[in-house]
PDB file of all heavy atoms in Angstrom:
ATOM      1  N   TYR A  49      97.317 119.085  87.446  1.00  0.00           N
ATOM      2  CA  TYR A  49      96.365 118.531  88.409  1.00  0.00           C
ATOM      3  C   TYR A  49      96.891 118.653  89.789  1.00  0.00           C
ATOM      4  O   TYR A  49      98.130 118.613  90.010  1.00  0.00           O
ATOM      5  CB  TYR A  49      96.113 117.020  88.129  1.00  0.00           C
ATOM      6  CG  TYR A  49      95.686 116.664  86.775  1.00  0.00           C
ATOM      7  CD1 TYR A  49      96.716 116.602  85.756  1.00  0.00           C
ATOM      8  CD2 TYR A  49      94.414 116.313  86.467  1.00  0.00           C
ATOM      9  CE1 TYR A  49      96.320 116.202  84.462  1.00  0.00           C
ATOM     10  CE2 TYR A  49      94.024 116.012  85.113  1.00  0.00           C
ATOM     11  CZ  TYR A  49      95.043 115.933  84.174  1.00  0.00           C
ATOM     12  OH  TYR A  49      94.697 115.596  82.859  1.00  0.00           O
ATOM     13  N   SER A 114      93.958 111.538  74.477  1.00  0.00           N
ATOM     14  CA  SER A 114      93.677 110.358  75.228  1.00  0.00           C
ATOM     15  C   SER A 114      94.885 109.494  75.547  1.00  0.00           C
ATOM     16  O   SER A 114      94.874 108.701  76.447  1.00  0.00           O
ATOM     17  CB  SER A 114      92.683 109.487  74.488  1.00  0.00           C
ATOM     18  OG  SER A 114      91.517 110.180  74.241  1.00  0.00           O
ATOM     19  N   TYR A 116      97.878 110.074  76.648  1.00  0.00           N
ATOM     20  CA  TYR A 116      98.854 110.536  77.597  1.00  0.00           C
ATOM     21  C   TYR A 116      98.547 110.073  78.996  1.00  0.00           C
ATOM     22  O   TYR A 116      97.445 110.209  79.537  1.00  0.00           O
ATOM     23  CB  TYR A 116      98.975 111.987  77.574  1.00  0.00           C
ATOM     24  CG  TYR A 116      99.556 112.569  76.244  1.00  0.00           C
ATOM     25  CD1 TYR A 116      98.759 112.980  75.270  1.00  0.00           C
ATOM     26  CD2 TYR A 116     100.987 112.621  76.151  1.00  0.00           C
ATOM     27  CE1 TYR A 116      99.280 113.425  74.053  1.00  0.00           C
ATOM     28  CE2 TYR A 116     101.508 113.106  74.916  1.00  0.00           C
ATOM     29  CZ  TYR A 116     100.680 113.500  73.935  1.00  0.00           C
ATOM     30  OH  TYR A 116     101.154 114.008  72.769  1.00  0.00           O
ATOM     31  N   GLU A 117      99.575 109.552  79.680  1.00  0.00           N
ATOM     32  CA  GLU A 117      99.497 109.302  81.097  1.00  0.00           C
ATOM     33  C   GLU A 117      99.889 110.568  81.885  1.00  0.00           C
ATOM     34  O   GLU A 117     100.371 111.474  81.346  1.00  0.00           O
ATOM     35  CB  GLU A 117     100.355 108.115  81.544  1.00  0.00           C
ATOM     36  CG  GLU A 117     101.846 108.371  81.459  1.00  0.00           C
ATOM     37  CD  GLU A 117     102.472 108.073  80.109  1.00  0.00           C
ATOM     38  OE1 GLU A 117     101.800 108.086  79.119  1.00  0.00           O
ATOM     39  OE2 GLU A 117     103.699 107.783  80.129  1.00  0.00           O
ATOM     40  N   GLN A 118      99.613 110.499  83.174  1.00  0.00           N
ATOM     41  CA  GLN A 118      99.986 111.591  84.062  1.00  0.00           C
ATOM     42  C   GLN A 118     101.407 111.397  84.553  1.00  0.00           C
ATOM     43  O   GLN A 118     101.830 110.233  84.828  1.00  0.00           O
ATOM     44  CB  GLN A 118      99.085 111.689  85.221  1.00  0.00           C
ATOM     45  CG  GLN A 118      97.695 112.178  84.823  1.00  0.00           C
ATOM     46  CD  GLN A 118      96.816 112.321  86.073  1.00  0.00           C
ATOM     47  OE1 GLN A 118      96.655 111.438  86.809  1.00  0.00           O
ATOM     48  NE2 GLN A 118      96.183 113.466  86.187  1.00  0.00           N
TER      49      GLN A 118
ATOM     50  N   LYS B 237      99.955 100.905  80.781  1.00  0.00           N
ATOM     51  CA  LYS B 237      98.702 101.603  80.420  1.00  0.00           C
ATOM     52  C   LYS B 237      98.101 100.806  79.319  1.00  0.00           C
ATOM     53  O   LYS B 237      98.759 100.156  78.455  1.00  0.00           O
ATOM     54  CB  LYS B 237      99.009 102.963  79.949  1.00  0.00           C
ATOM     55  CG  LYS B 237      99.919 103.158  78.793  1.00  0.00           C
ATOM     56  CD  LYS B 237     100.278 104.612  78.491  1.00  0.00           C
ATOM     57  CE  LYS B 237     101.267 104.698  77.357  1.00  0.00           C
ATOM     58  NZ  LYS B 237     101.719 106.105  77.125  1.00  0.00           N
ATOM     59  N   PHE B 239      95.304 101.539  76.069  1.00  0.00           N
ATOM     60  CA  PHE B 239      94.455 102.463  75.280  1.00  0.00           C
ATOM     61  C   PHE B 239      93.522 101.691  74.282  1.00  0.00           C
ATOM     62  O   PHE B 239      92.391 101.981  74.205  1.00  0.00           O
ATOM     63  CB  PHE B 239      95.256 103.451  74.537  1.00  0.00           C
ATOM     64  CG  PHE B 239      95.943 104.469  75.471  1.00  0.00           C
ATOM     65  CD1 PHE B 239      97.240 104.362  75.819  1.00  0.00           C
ATOM     66  CD2 PHE B 239      95.163 105.492  76.020  1.00  0.00           C
ATOM     67  CE1 PHE B 239      97.766 105.297  76.736  1.00  0.00           C
ATOM     68  CE2 PHE B 239      95.687 106.464  76.821  1.00  0.00           C
ATOM     69  CZ  PHE B 239      97.010 106.287  77.225  1.00  0.00           C
ATOM     70  N   SER B 284      87.948 107.952  77.452  1.00  0.00           N
ATOM     71  CA  SER B 284      88.782 108.225  76.247  1.00  0.00           C
ATOM     72  C   SER B 284      88.583 109.567  75.643  1.00  0.00           C
ATOM     73  O   SER B 284      89.482 110.075  74.936  1.00  0.00           O
ATOM     74  CB  SER B 284      88.537 107.090  75.215  1.00  0.00           C
ATOM     75  OG  SER B 284      88.885 105.863  75.657  1.00  0.00           O
ATOM     76  N   TYR B 288      89.584 115.433  80.911  1.00  0.00           N
ATOM     77  CA  TYR B 288      90.923 115.313  81.288  1.00  0.00           C
ATOM     78  C   TYR B 288      91.094 114.679  82.694  1.00  0.00           C
ATOM     79  O   TYR B 288      92.158 114.522  83.241  1.00  0.00           O
ATOM     80  CB  TYR B 288      91.615 116.682  81.341  1.00  0.00           C
ATOM     81  CG  TYR B 288      91.968 117.196  80.046  1.00  0.00           C
ATOM     82  CD1 TYR B 288      91.035 117.762  79.095  1.00  0.00           C
ATOM     83  CD2 TYR B 288      93.345 117.206  79.647  1.00  0.00           C
ATOM     84  CE1 TYR B 288      91.491 118.233  77.910  1.00  0.00           C
ATOM     85  CE2 TYR B 288      93.753 117.666  78.452  1.00  0.00           C
ATOM     86  CZ  TYR B 288      92.805 118.161  77.550  1.00  0.00           C
ATOM     87  OH  TYR B 288      93.204 118.692  76.322  1.00  0.00           O
ATOM     88  N   TYR B 290      91.309 111.889  85.552  1.00  0.00           N
ATOM     89  CA  TYR B 290      91.661 110.522  85.845  1.00  0.00           C
ATOM     90  C   TYR B 290      91.065 110.155  87.189  1.00  0.00           C
ATOM     91  O   TYR B 290      91.142 110.905  88.180  1.00  0.00           O
ATOM     92  CB  TYR B 290      93.179 110.426  85.933  1.00  0.00           C
ATOM     93  CG  TYR B 290      93.969 110.734  84.616  1.00  0.00           C
ATOM     94  CD1 TYR B 290      94.041 112.035  84.198  1.00  0.00           C
ATOM     95  CD2 TYR B 290      94.563 109.703  83.877  1.00  0.00           C
ATOM     96  CE1 TYR B 290      94.719 112.343  83.085  1.00  0.00           C
ATOM     97  CE2 TYR B 290      95.258 110.046  82.791  1.00  0.00           C
ATOM     98  CZ  TYR B 290      95.352 111.341  82.302  1.00  0.00           C
ATOM     99  OH  TYR B 290      96.065 111.688  81.209  1.00  0.00           O
TER     100      TYR B 290
END
Side-chain angles (χ1 to χ4, degrees):
Chain A
Y49 308 78
S114 300
Y116 291 94
E117 69 268 25
Q118 289 180 309
Chain B
K237 61 186 178 184
F239 288 101
S284 295
Y288 280 75
Y290 297 72

